[in-house]
Amino acid sequence: MSSQQVMAASAKKNNSVIMLNGQQLKMPGNVQVQNVNNNIMVPIRVIVENLGFDTNWNQKQGKVTVSKADSTVELTIGRKVATVNGADKKLNIAPLIQSNTSLVPLRFISEEMGLTVGWDNKNKIVSLESLPDEPIMENPPVIVTPSKPTDSTNSGEGEFVPGHTNSGEGTPITPTKPINGAAVNSISFYDNRLMVGYEGSTQPNVVKMTNPDRIVMELPNTQFSNSFNGGQSTGDIQVVGNSNITSIHYTMVSQQPPMVRIEMPFGSSAPYSFYAQGSSTSGQFVIDLNGQSLITDGKKIVVIDAGHGGYAPGTTGYSKKKEKEFNLAVALKVGRLLEQESKINIIMTRSDDTAVELTDRGKIANNLNADVFVSIHGNSAGVSTTAHGTESYYYNDRSKAFTELMHRHLLAATGFTDRKVKYKSLQVLRDATMPATLLEIGFLSNPAEESTMLTEDFQQRVAQSIVDGIKEYLGV
């Protein structure tokens, strides 16, 4: 019997099952999914224990409050009207009590929390799909454009499929981090510097070679991390905005022992420098073509993070535009403005539609000993179209003053409602060791705000406000 047949049989035997991102949820105790007048109803315990939303149950009032990031849903037993972010919304069915168990409508709550809901009526299977990123509340400047697979590993709309490898030159090696070795988790090129992010321990060899002229970095006892460009272990990175270097080639040249090789065309007779940044077990190897390093040139280092990207699109706006596109458009404008500042080095976590893991975004800033970290986002309230305004987030006291200053500049530029500066435990903020902020420019789920946010004039105004805030904070 196939896994699909087993799943279907299980669904029929136990009434209905719930699949979250392809994995069947284990129901607490003897809890079962109920189909009441063609509405999928689940006990409150399912919302709390299986979906991970913050839930408050007031038994005396018969009211349940479900929240996640900036979305809050209030439902009352027997009432066919819910309150979503302060606005009333009609329900197909009211929450009810059955056999001393409080049941709430799964589809309504899930969709308001940003999940996609499907229903297989034949097999009685509820499917829930979430975005592969933190909740929304939750490298031009030049960096990289990884080449995308051209064979069957590519998805229908040309987006890279994580976990697949590129055909490249020969058979790719499945990347796993070696014991007592190292793993490459990023390769970027910006401001005439090749930067290779790594974890673990390795001693790189860097040499200049001819026929063709190039600089070669070999990393012994090293493989690519599973998060590197979705698992690719060989390929070419296209460099945008540099007249001398158009691409960088990377590959696994050996599996036993593992070795990574990175080759960068370089025909100039000018000297280059090589150095490492970070700790003994995590950091970046840098080939610097400028004759001075990011550490010694005396400039402030600013890391701009365009939220989401690649297979992680973020939220979908009212007009079906992807958040990742808005984030990148604003980030690139910020980068171009900062490039004009003689006392600032600007680093972008991404400069095109590539995926950068959440765990790597803060590391990029940390390994560079950056002075500030700014993550740019568009907000969403799920299917609700009424939420509106600008808000900014920080994680620790070190970042609060920076966030308050950035929010003041941003709010003046957007002209939207002030949703204030707030504390939030987001990974990109937790990981950063310098003052860090996450800016939610406005609500893409609100048709009026989205229409404004997608205009060039608005984005340029917002970008200038971000630059002004950074410069004021750094005293530049």
Side-chain angles (χ1 to χ4, degrees), residues 371-372 398 401-402 405-406 435 468-476:
D371 292 279
V372 293
R398 175 178 62 245
F402 175 54
L405 186 152
M406 293 296 294
D468 291 344
I470 292 171
K471 289 176 62 179
E472 180 178 338
Y473 183 80
L474 296 177
V476 174

Side-chain angles (χ1 to χ4, degrees), residues 22-340:
Q23 299 295 319
Q24 182 175 341
L25 296 182
K26 184 178 180 181
M27 294 295 100
N30 295 319
V31 165
Q32 290 189 356
V33 178
Q34 301 292 327
N35 189 330
V36 181
N37 297 328
N38 294 320
N39 292 277
I40 303 303
M41 307 289 284
V42 296
I44 294 174
R45 286 182 62 192
V46 172
I47 304 297
V48 176
E49 298 180 24
N50 294 81
L51 300 185
F53 301 145
D54 295 329
T55 307
N56 179 55
W57 167 240
N58 188 320
Q59 188 173 9
K60 183 177 181 181
Q61 297 180 358
K63 179 182 292 186
V64 59
T65 302
V66 182
S67 60
K68 172 186 176 185
D70 289 330
S71 297
T72 300
V73 178
E74 295 180 354
L75 304 102
T76 304
I77 298 295
R79 188 169 185 257
K80 290 188 69 174
V81 176
T83 303
V84 180
N85 295 326
D88 287 344
K89 200 161 189 178
K90 189 175 181 181
L91 296 168
N92 291 329
I93 186 171
L96 54 89
I97 295 178
Q98 190 177 89
S99 302
N100 294 320
T101 300
S102 300
L103 303 176
V104 293
L106 177 62
R107 176 182 289 275
F108 182 84
I109 293 176
S110 298
E111 289 183 343
E112 291 297 334
M113 295 295 114
L115 301 179
T116 300
V117 184
W119 169 242
D120 180 347
N121 188 59
K122 179 180 178 181
N123 296 314
K124 310 303 180 188
I125 299 172
V126 182
S127 62
L128 304 176
E129 295 290 335
S130 64
L131 296 175
D133 206 338
E134 288 200 43
I136 310 290
M137 10 149 291
E138 5 199 35
N139 270 315
V142 182
I143 199 163
V144 299
T145 306
S147 57
K148 295 179 173 62
T150 57
D151 58 7
S152 60
T153 64
N154 201 20
S155 65
E157 297 183 356
E159 290 189 5
F160 181 71
V161 181
H164 291 245
T165 54
N166 194 7
S167 57
E169 299 176 358
T171 303
I173 301 167
T174 302
T176 55
K177 186 174 179 179
I179 299 174
N180 298 323
V184 171
N185 52 38
S186 67
I187 301 174
S188 62
F189 187 88
Y190 170 76
D191 196 19
N192 279 328
R193 296 180 178 100
L194 171 65
M195 294 175 283
V196 179
Y198 71 93
E199 289 186 271
S201 178
T202 184
Q203 293 294 323
N205 300 311
V206 178
V207 296
K208 188 173 181 181
M209 303 183 72
T210 58
N211 296 323
D213 292 335
R214 64 200 189 278
I215 298 176
V216 177
M217 180 192 298
E218 288 190 340
L219 303 170
N221 201 24
T222 301
Q223 298 186 26
F224 291 101
S225 71
N226 292 321
S227 65
F228 176 76
N229 282 343
Q232 295 188 71
S233 59
T234 185
D236 293 289
I237 291 173
Q238 304 305 312
V239 175
V240 180
N242 188 290
S243 59
N244 297 317
I245 299 172
T246 58
S247 66
I248 297 167
H249 183 70
Y250 62 87
T251 188
M252 285 280 299
V253 294
S254 171
Q255 186 174 19
Q256 294 297 334
M259 178 180 288
V260 167
R261 177 182 293 158
I262 301 168
E263 300 184 49
M264 177 175 63
F266 185 68
S268 172
S269 59
Y272 64 88
S273 60
F274 170 78
Y275 52 91
Q277 300 181 149
S279 68
S280 59
T281 58
S282 177
Q284 288 188 321
F285 296 124
V286 182
I287 296 177
D288 197 320
L289 309 181
N290 297 306
Q292 58 183 356
S293 73
L294 281 170
I295 297 174
T296 61
D297 65 8
K299 297 181 181 181
K300 299 293 186 180
I301 299 175
V302 174
V303 175
I304 300 297
D305 173 48
H308 307 285
Y311 61 79
T315 191
T316 300
Y318 182 81
S319 68
K320 307 304 180 185
K321 295 286 187 180
K322 301 297 184 183
E323 182 201 354
K324 64 179 182 179
E325 299 170 1
F326 168 78
N327 299 344
L328 182 60
V330 174
L332 290 176
K333 290 178 175 62
V334 172
R336 294 187 187 104
L337 290 171
L338 286 174
E339 278 189 317
Q340 301 171 26

